[in-house]
Amino acid sequence: MNLRRGRPDKLVIISIISGVIFIMIMLLVITNNIAWFDDAIISLVQGLENDRLTSFMKFLSFIGSSLMSVMIFVLVFLFLMIVLKHRRELIMFLVTVGGSELWNLILKNIIQRARPNTHRLVEITGFSFPSGHSMAAFALYGAITFLLWRHIPQYAGRIAMITAGIALTLLIGISRIYLGVHYPSDVIGGYAASATWLMICIVCFRKWSFVK
């Protein structure tokens, strides 16, 4: 007898909550009712500015760039295909990361929020909401963590992988605020949107492969 039958999937609940958070942030952005929050966080983060920290933040931003994301994506893709030979995991990885990128493009062009134009430490074009770096990092490292979890037998190794993924994702988002190319609401909105998509992909993968 399956005691879990009839109970709501926790990942579905997380996906719904993340989706609601994203919609709330999006509405606040569209109605321009979140400026007070953005200004407070920007003032706090950029108030830490110094030369060494700026170099570090530029490095983090580069790690979250499209070039690095593609390189990491290709490495994981080859690992799943050649080493593990897991076709379903490979498809899940492709759909999760590729779908997140597509959603980001669609959402940016729908909302069309201009980037911050004060105290920008690097130059970049395009719309601001939601943050592409944040969405890509959340989807990429979240998918990697989920797919490699079962292949790391040591508990310490699993904790280290999760900690590294969370820390890197958060730091990439903070770097975008520090460098003046994103509002905090862009970053949080990006995390929420990507979390929604990641949970949907994991739920579908589990249903498809009968992984409980």
Side-chain angles (χ1 to χ4, degrees):
M1 180 177 179
N2 187 359
L3 296 177
R4 292 172 58 90
R5 185 175 300 171
R7 295 183 181 180
D9 193 314
K10 291 181 180 179
L11 295 180
V12 174
I13 295 175
I14 294 173
S15 179
I16 293 172
I17 293 174
S18 299
V20 170
I21 291 173
F22 172 75
I23 292 173
M24 290 174 62
I25 295 174
M26 180 181 66
L27 292 175
L28 289 171
V29 167
I30 292 173
T31 57
N32 197 30
N33 286 316
I34 202 169
W36 62 272
F37 171 79
D38 286 331
D39 292 342
I41 301 300
I42 289 173
S43 178
L44 176 64
V45 173
Q46 293 189 342
L48 303 173
E49 182 182 340
N50 60 67
D51 292 341
R52 289 185 178 181
L53 187 56
T54 297
S55 297
F56 180 59
M57 289 298 177
K58 287 182 178 179
F59 172 71
L60 288 171
S61 185
F62 173 71
I63 291 178
S65 67
S66 297
L67 175 61
M68 286 300 296
S69 295
V70 169
M71 291 175 62
I72 296 172
F73 176 86
V74 171
L75 289 175
V76 175
F77 181 91
L78 293 174
F79 180 76
L80 291 172
M81 181 174 64
I82 298 174
V83 179
L84 297 183
K85 296 180 173 61
H86 287 176
R87 181 176 62 87
R88 290 178 178 177
E89 292 187 353
L90 181 62
I91 294 174
M92 185 270 184
F93 185 63
L94 284 169
V95 171
T96 301
V97 178
S100 178
E101 290 289 334
L102 180 60
W103 271 116
N104 183 257
L105 289 174
I106 292 173
L107 291 169
K108 278 182 181 291
N109 283 280
I110 290 175
I111 300 168
Q112 298 188 1
R113 187 187 198 185
R115 292 183 183 273
N117 56 11
T118 58
H119 197 61
R120 188 181 298 181
L121 299 180
V122 296
E123 290 302 321
I124 189 172
T125 59
F127 297 120
S128 189
F129 182 89
S131 167
H133 275 62
S134 299
M135 285 191 69
F138 199 106
L140 179 63
Y141 297 117
I144 290 174
T145 299
F146 171 74
L147 292 175
L148 297 185
W149 173 269
R150 289 172 295 146
H151 304 289
I152 300 178
Q154 298 85 4
Y155 179 77
R158 291 180 171 183
I159 295 299
M161 180 180 63
I162 293 174
T163 302
I166 292 175
L168 192 55
T169 300
L170 290 175
L171 286 171
I172 288 173
I174 293 172
S175 74
R176 305 302 282 171
I177 300 170
Y178 180 92
L179 296 173
V181 294
H182 275 299
Y183 296 101
S185 53
D186 297 334
V187 173
I188 298 173
Y191 289 152
S194 200
T196 304
W197 178 245
L198 175 62
M199 294 305 110
I200 291 173
C201 290
I202 292 176
V203 169
C204 291
F205 174 79
R206 289 172 59 186
K207 296 294 183 182
W208 180 28
S209 58
F210 303 103
V211 177
K212 302 298 183 184

